[in-house]
């Protein structure tokens, strides 16, 4: 149970750190948010919990493929934010991500990569 609490605190701390950095500098906050810190933490947690190297490698592999269809959302959100407000922009961005994920997974499936 202590280990789980440590994982929660460290992982939550990363989110708080990024949001605090973003308050002070848009560029620095964006840079730190773009770093795969959460993925690194997940890989470390898997390793420390004695998961197989195959499991750890698969996590990194699928993370790569799942990041690609989220990228259009980062372009659309700032444009939508100005036009339709925060919550509508957030919801529309989620829908854009879902549509991009479905389309992307159908494309990569033809190359033998099964995302769902």
């Amino acid at each position: 149970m202590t280990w789980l609490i440590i994982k929660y605190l460290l992982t939550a701390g990363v989110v708080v750190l990024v949001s605090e950095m973003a308050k002070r500098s848009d560029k620095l906050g964006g840079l730190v948010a773009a770093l795969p810190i959460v993925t690194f933490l997940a890989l470390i947690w898997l390793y420390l919990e004695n998961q197989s190297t195959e499991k750890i490698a698969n996590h990194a592999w699928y993370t790569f493929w799942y990041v690609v269809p989220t990228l259009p959302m980062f372009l659309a959100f700032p444009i939508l934010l100005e036009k339709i407000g925060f919550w509508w922009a957030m919801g529309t961005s989620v829908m854009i991500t879902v549509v991009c994920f479905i389309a992307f997974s159908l494309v990569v499936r033809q190359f033998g990569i099964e995302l769902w």
Side-chain angles (χ1 to χ4, degrees):
M1 184 61 147
T2 302
W3 179 242
L4 186 61
I5 292 170
I6 290 169
K7 285 175 27 177
Y8 275 125
L9 291 174
L10 284 172
T11 306
V14 168
V15 174
V16 171
L17 175 68
V18 169
S19 68
E20 290 300 312
M21 291 177 96
K23 285 182 193 177
R24 289 159 180 72
S25 168
D26 296 334
K27 291 178 184 175
L28 184 59
L31 172 64
V32 175
L35 296 172
I37 298 169
V38 172
T39 301
F40 285 154
L41 284 173
L43 294 171
I44 291 167
W45 302 150
L46 289 169
Y47 177 78
L48 292 175
E49 293 169 352
N50 297 315
Q51 296 297 312
S52 69
T53 55
E54 179 183 10
K55 176 74 120 176
I56 297 168
N58 281 341
H59 180 77
W61 168 261
Y62 284 111
T63 299
F64 169 81
W65 292 108
Y66 291 138
V67 163
V68 174
T70 68
L71 296 177
M73 183 267 312
F74 292 105
L75 294 174
F77 181 78
I79 295 166
L80 294 170
L81 180 61
E82 291 294 319
K83 296 180 189 233
I84 61 177
F86 181 82
W87 292 111
W88 284 105
M90 208 46 126
T92 304
S93 294
V94 168
M95 291 188 308
I96 289 169
T97 301
V98 169
V99 168
C100 288
F101 175 77
I102 291 168
F104 184 73
S105 62
L106 292 172
V107 170
V108 298
R109 180 179 288 165
Q110 297 186 31
F111 298 96
I113 300 166
E114 292 289 331
L115 297 180
W116 58 298

